[in-house]
Amino acid sequence: MKHKKIHLDVATATDVGLVRQQNEDSFGFDAAAGLFIVCDGMGGAAAGDIASKLAVDTFMIHARQERLIPATAEQRLEEAIYAANDAVYGYAIDNPRLRGMGTTLVSMFVPKDLELDRNACDVPVTIAHVGDSRCYRSRGEDFDLLTDDHSLVAEQVRLGEMTEEEAAMHPMRNVITRAIGAVPDVEVDVHVQCARNGDTFLLCSDGLVRDLNDQQIARILGTRGINLDVAAKALIDAANNAGGGDNTTVVLVRVRF
Ligand code: CA
């Protein structure tokens, strides 16, 4: 067994866009703990902003906690998301004018050191999400979406009843089928992906993908030698150049070992 240290380079950016008055996205990270999160709030007035911030803060507090009983990374993210759901749901119950508020959530955990077999080159990256905020992985020429949107149109595409192109143009493309804070018990999708040395992971709100397709995003992230801060800014600029119809948030994490 070989002990391996994992280095994480991080860049973040968020922008209100060109149409909305308020930025209702929130994000958080703790690179030392290997934790990253993006939330996209909804509910109008101040509600979306409160929901996304509350979800980020609650998630970070719970995901960071040292445990008496060791949990898997999947359990750790799931439990932090359940806590975020309780917090947002409870807040809306206590504040009737905020009734109906909610938020998407996409989160990621990367271990900071590992005992690796001689032949193993991959680092397990755990991804958990609710709603239509996404996680992508950029690896050399490849750019892969790692999450399934919990949205009306994405479900139609998965059932073969709508094409990707129809979904991208559909008037109900913003309607999500799962959200943090909407019901007392939320269903979380969680799975483990492998990171190779040099992979870049992107967590983003749907503002990034509203008017940009995956190829356009891949081109920016695939630019040889691009600095992560430059890439984060370039993604925001690209979303705004394409219309800026929504808030856009990006969290970029490059894994090196
Ligand atoms: Ca949004």
Side-chain angles (χ1 to χ4, degrees):
M1 293 290 262
K2 192 175 157 199
H3 190 74
K4 195 161 267 195
K5 271 253 172 274
I6 296 149
H7 302 275
L8 302 177
D9 304 322
V10 185
T12 64
T14 187
D15 193 79
V16 67
L18 305 178
V19 175
R20 302 282 174 90
Q21 298 299 311
Q22 264 187 318
N23 191 344
E24 297 191 323
D25 290 354
S26 296
F27 67 92
F29 70 93
D30 180 342
L35 290 164
F36 306 88
I37 178 171
V38 168
C39 289
D40 175 353
M42 69 209 77
D49 186 33
I50 293 169
S52 65
K53 273 202 183 70
L54 187 55
V56 166
D57 292 346
T58 308
F59 172 90
M60 290 302 295
I61 289 166
H62 284 262
R64 270 189 188 128
Q65 270 168 10
E66 295 290 335
R67 295 163 175 284
L68 296 174
I69 303 161
T72 64
E74 289 106 307
Q75 289 166 337
R76 190 172 160 190
L77 292 189
E78 265 176 343
E79 284 173 23
I81 293 173
Y82 295 147
N85 189 68
D86 287 348
V88 177
Y89 185 75
Y91 199 91
I93 296 285
D94 293 343
N95 297 273
R97 68 183 179 87
L98 300 175
R99 196 64 55 82
M101 76 175 184
T103 181
T104 70
L105 186 158
V106 61
S107 62
M108 182 169 87
F109 170 72
V110 190
K112 293 307 297 292
D113 47 283
L114 273 181
E115 299 293 336
L116 290 180
D117 292 334
R118 263 183 87 80
N119 297 323
C121 64
D122 287 340
V123 166
V125 170
T126 309
I127 297 153
H129 83 292
V130 173
D132 67 354
S133 292
R134 292 180 174 178
C135 179
Y136 288 92
R137 181 184 56 209
S138 173
R139 171 183 291 169
E141 300 283 297
D142 296 333
F143 185 66
D144 295 305
L145 176 60
L146 305 180
T147 47
D148 289 328
D149 290 351
H150 303 136
S151 72
L152 221 51
V153 294
E155 280 169 14
Q156 294 294 308
V157 171
R158 286 196 284 277
L159 290 170
E161 288 171 8
M162 197 184 280
T163 66
E164 299 265 1
E165 292 70 29
E166 285 165 344
M169 304 299 291
H170 200 278
M172 290 177 81
R173 64 189 172 169
N174 290 331
V175 177
I176 58 174
T177 50
R178 278 192 227 175
I180 297 292
V183 290
D185 295 300
V186 69
E187 191 188 344
V188 178
D189 279 8
V190 57
H191 68 286
V192 178
Q193 290 279 342
C194 287
R196 291 193 193 146
N197 187 21
D199 281 358
T200 301
F201 290 80
L202 162 67
L203 304 183
C204 65
S205 61
D206 70 329
L208 182 69
V209 297
R210 180 190 156 105
D211 297 308
L212 296 179
N213 59 40
D214 287 3
Q215 289 80 357
Q216 291 168 299
I217 300 167
R219 205 173 305 135
I220 292 168
L221 290 180
T223 306
R224 193 175 290 275
I226 193 167
N227 169 288
L228 273 198
D229 288 308
V230 172
K233 176 148 194 331
L235 290 171
I236 298 283
D237 289 347
N240 285 340
N241 289 335
D246 196 0
N247 310 142
T248 299
T249 300
V250 298
V251 170
L252 291 171
V253 183
R254 188 169 288 151
V255 180
R256 295 186 288 113
F257 53 90

